[in-house]
Amino acid sequence: RKNIKEIILKKEFKIVSMFILTELCVVIYSYLVMLFASNNYIMEGSFSRTLSIFVYLTITIIEAFCVVDYFGRKSAVRLTLLGIIGNYLLSIIISIVGCDFDLSIIINYLLGKNVKGNNIVLEAHELAPCFACGIIFLLMNNTFQKEEKNIFLVVLTIFIILCGKRIIIFSLILIVLFYFIFVKFLFYFRIKIFPILSYIEILLSYFYVYLIKSGMFFRVIYSLGINTMQRDTLYKAMNYYYDFSPTFLGKGSGFTSKWLDNNWMNINIYGATSALGLHNDFLRHYIELGFFGFLAYLVSLLLIIPYKIKQYFGIKSTIKYIFLFAFQLICWTVDQITVYYIFQFFFFVILFSSLERN
């Protein structure tokens, strides 16, 4: 009992509780919307889907906290990094064996050419953002000795290139570039800047959803010849189910994934053989939580939780959280990393390991 009480009283556990409370509010709001909002219809399994998302995220956050608390920050990060590196090394072996040791196939894959074979495992959807977050963590923290840190940085960089995920590479470059600009020129103003960054991120989130709903997003990507890997088809399929308006209350957590489970075969995704995710966490959260529900969700993640981190651990830890979460937000634009278990576990491990005592 004493150990449990000590854990609950830890400042880190208070941050854990804030994340879980945020997700619990999403569940409660979703149930209210599904039961009482007008013009809403409930698909079979909607209530269980909402609950399963909450349970999955809660377990992930608690697991990450327990790992950091049990092993200590340095060992927790090292073991987690070694885990994802070992996982990807296995993917490389499978890829080479699956291509009958024909390295030209892998080279063509890295050059963006259409290829066949098991080399597709190199893409590693869940591991790629882990590698990027690992690099961001290593650049912001002095957890390891210089030699060990540099080895991790080199390995993670090589693996990100092998994954070939455009949004991950773009997000990493943007965050690292802005972080060094911040440290070099803006660190003196850090206390005033962090809430401004959060407000900007919230405004940009709504602007992005507006671009998709208005059709401007599609006109821009078509004019630039950007290959969205048929994500535009997915976004258009959901267009009927939301409005960009303060009166839009949302459809409830899990709606988009449940709808796609039931309708993926009817939206003309070339090569699709099973259910698909929306591949856009901004749009998913907006559709499911509504105009003001989405706002409340972002306010919790970008203003309330950072404020609590600042209160318990200081401004440096707050800045680290803002940059780590900003990486997630950029990935939200065309991916669904909030449902990637490995990434979410890794993210919370490095987040809890970044919290420095005041």
Side-chain angles (χ1 to χ4, degrees), residues 96-109:
I96 294 174
V97 173
C99 295
D100 296 324
F101 298 94
D102 186 353
L103 295 180
S104 64
I105 297 179
I106 296 179
I107 293 172
N108 287 331
Y109 159 76

Side-chain angles (χ1 to χ4, degrees), residues 104-144:
S104 64
I105 297 179
I106 296 179
I107 293 172
N108 287 331
Y109 159 76
L110 293 175
L111 293 175
K113 299 179 180 180
N114 291 326
V115 294
K116 296 180 180 180
N118 290 339
N119 59 291
I120 193 65
V121 299
L122 286 177
E123 197 171 349
H125 293 274
E126 293 210 31
L127 294 178
C130 294
F131 301 148
C133 260
I135 290 175
I136 296 170
F137 170 84
L138 291 169
L139 293 176
M140 292 194 301
N141 294 275
N142 295 316
T143 305
F144 303 111

Side-chain angles (χ1 to χ4, degrees), residues 340-352:
Y340 289 167
Y341 166 76
I342 295 176
F343 171 71
Q344 290 300 321
F345 173 77
F346 182 79
F347 174 82
F348 282 107
V349 166
I350 62 173
L351 170 62
F352 297 145

Side-chain angles (χ1 to χ4, degrees), residues 2 68 78 85 96 105 147 159 169-170 173-174 222 258:
K2 182 180 179 181
V68 175
R78 180 187 288 118
I85 288 172
I96 294 174
I105 297 179
E147 294 78 10
F159 283 1
I169 295 172
F170 173 76
I173 293 173
L174 201 61
Y222 294 155
K258 195 65 184 175

Side-chain angles (χ1 to χ4, degrees), residues 206-272:
Y206 275 84
F207 180 64
Y208 180 62
V209 174
Y210 170 75
L211 288 178
I212 295 176
K213 182 62 180 178
S214 66
M216 284 192 285
F217 171 81
F218 305 108
R219 291 195 289 273
V220 170
I221 62 173
Y222 294 155
S223 65
L224 296 175
I226 297 174
N227 181 9
T228 64
M229 306 296 288
Q230 300 187 75
R231 285 174 172 82
D232 54 326
T233 305
L234 289 170
Y235 304 164
K236 288 179 179 178
M238 301 303 304
N239 196 55
Y240 174 77
Y241 297 96
Y242 70 102
D243 298 305
F244 190 79
S245 166
T247 60
F248 176 64
L249 298 176
K251 300 293 185 179
S253 177
F255 172 84
T256 55
S257 62
K258 195 65 184 175
W259 188 90
L260 288 167
D261 284 352
N262 296 336
N263 297 279
W264 65 269
M265 70 293 293
N266 301 320
I267 54 179
N268 300 319
I269 297 293
Y270 177 76

